[in-house]
Amino acid sequence: MAQSNQTPLDRALSLIADVPDYPKPGILFKDITPLLADGIGFGVVIDEFARSIRSLNKKVDAIVGIESRGFILGGAIAKALQIGFVTVRKPGKLPRDVYRKEYALEYGFDALELHKDLLDPSDNVIIVDDVLATGGTALACHDLVEITGAKVIAHLFMLEIEFLQGRKTIGNTHSDVGIISLLKA
Ligand code: AMP
């Protein structure tokens, strides 16, 4: 019988669905919900994220997840590593004092917020999101974390859309940070 060379990680990542022209014409949306719905696939991906973080051989105090799919991945990774999880949210969602970072979108601005008392200068963190596209969101999150004095060790993504050059955008201002993606498209 023919053997497949597909690893469990390859199989898991192959569950990400391409959705053309969503949410607007010309965008190829990478939908991770079929992967999340697959119990084995989800577990394999979280194990791989945890392995990547351990292999950095650095003290990591918290996972920072970007709303909203970064919460799903980041929460599971934090649990696997037995470290804390910190939420970075869209404006107006957090109830206590926040730091805020605005960033440019194709048209207009958006912002991310972080509760002021969750991180301090002794913390090393990893930032997690599902997709790296232009890098604007990850860069804003990085800058937001640095307001607290905490250090960003690495960014983790399930998927990187290479032609949008988000890796370069983050690296231009943070050349020492690790950028890890499980799949490049
Ligand atoms: P960017 O700031 O351009 O790197 O965009 C990253 C954020 O937007 C992440 O939170 C992603 O979830 C989302 N995103 C951007 N482009 C896509 C895409 N093609 N498919 C799925 N999510 C995307």
Side-chain angles (χ1 to χ4, degrees):
M1 203 169 79
Q3 291 272 310
S4 163
N5 288 328
Q6 199 181 41
T7 67
L9 182 62
D10 291 340
R11 191 198 76 86
L13 294 171
S14 74
L15 298 172
I16 298 171
D18 283 350
V19 186
D21 298 321
Y22 182 88
K24 51 186 180 181
I27 305 284
L28 182 63
F29 190 84
K30 299 289 183 176
D31 175 20
I32 68 165
T33 62
L35 189 161
L36 299 176
D38 184 279
I40 294 175
F42 188 26
V44 165
V45 163
I46 297 304
D47 288 349
E48 180 60 21
F49 275 127
R51 192 198 60 74
S52 306
I53 294 171
R54 286 195 192 98
S55 71
L56 296 172
N57 278 322
K58 294 204 167 137
K59 175 179 89 80
V60 179
D61 302 287
I63 301 295
V64 173
I66 304 177
E67 185 171 2
S68 60
R69 290 178 292 270
F71 290 177
I72 301 164
L73 303 174
I77 297 165
K79 169 70 169 69
L81 296 174
Q82 296 185 288
I83 57 177
F85 177 73
V86 172
T87 56
V88 163
R89 300 206 65 177
K90 303 281 167 58
K93 301 277 185 70
L94 293 170
R96 297 182 298 106
D97 281 354
V98 294
Y99 293 119
R100 177 186 172 92
K101 175 73 189 178
E102 294 195 351
Y103 60 105
L105 296 175
E106 195 179 354
Y107 299 104
F109 286 86
D110 206 344
L112 293 174
E113 294 181 346
L114 165 67
H115 271 143
K116 282 187 172 175
D117 58 357
L118 298 186
L119 295 171
D120 65 48
S122 69
D123 289 324
N124 284 348
V125 309
I126 306 264
I127 295 175
V128 176
D129 204 358
D130 62 336
V131 171
L132 172 62
T134 66
T137 310
L139 186 58
C141 185
H142 191 126
D143 292 342
L144 183 62
V145 166
E146 286 191 338
I147 296 173
T148 69
K151 182 170 170 55
V152 180
I153 301 293
H155 289 262
L156 251 61
F157 303 95
M158 193 181 286
L159 187 146
E160 171 178 355
I161 302 172
E162 280 190 294
F163 85 94
L164 292 174
Q165 300 200 315
R167 180 176 287 269
K168 197 169 155 196
T169 298
I170 298 169
N172 279 345
T173 33
H174 304 288
S175 56
D176 57 338
V177 78
I179 301 173
I180 299 165
S181 57
L182 303 188
L183 182 66
K184 291 185 166 70

